[in-house]
Amino acid sequence: MQRAGVLVSRAQHGAHHRAPYDNNYCIVSGMWNATLDRHRVFEAMEMVVFLRTGVRPRSWDEPDAAWTEDYDDTAAVAGGDTSLDTQ
């Protein structure tokens, strides 16, 4: 589905997992990312959550190894996972 353009490309999905972690939230089709990012919709939502709960969004701080995901791409390739194939 990624190759057909129905789902975000691997590169677009990868952008969702890279700093500054405050954009590219729409990881299914991605069609709304530009509009939502331009109007800072998710930044506003983060502020609302923060004001209501006192919990700071991770995107407000530098990445911390304690909450980043470890990924062993050699295990995925060895297991026949084709999600790492290039387009």
Side-chain angles (χ1 to χ4, degrees):
M1 292 179 81
Q2 286 177 312
R3 288 184 185 132
V6 175
L7 300 177
V8 294
S9 69
R10 289 174 182 86
Q12 290 170 315
H13 188 184
H16 167 78
H17 290 282
R18 284 193 295 278
Y21 305 106
D22 64 355
N23 56 24
N24 295 307
Y25 281 95
C26 301
I27 61 167
V28 176
S29 74
M31 69 182 285
W32 289 102
N33 276 332
T35 301
L36 295 172
D37 290 348
R38 182 173 41 256
H39 295 288
R40 300 177 177 216
V41 171
F42 290 105
E43 288 181 42
M45 291 172 68
E46 288 174 338
M47 182 59 75
V48 168
V49 170
F50 172 69
L51 293 173
R52 303 280 252 140
T53 67
V55 176
R56 290 176 53 90
R58 291 177 176 169
S59 64
W60 292 5
D61 299 314
E62 290 297 316
D64 180 350
W67 61 265
T68 56
E69 182 177 341
D70 290 331
Y71 182 74
D72 180 5
D73 61 352
T74 57
V77 172
D81 183 351
T82 59
S83 65
L84 299 177
D85 291 347
T86 57
Q87 290 186 8

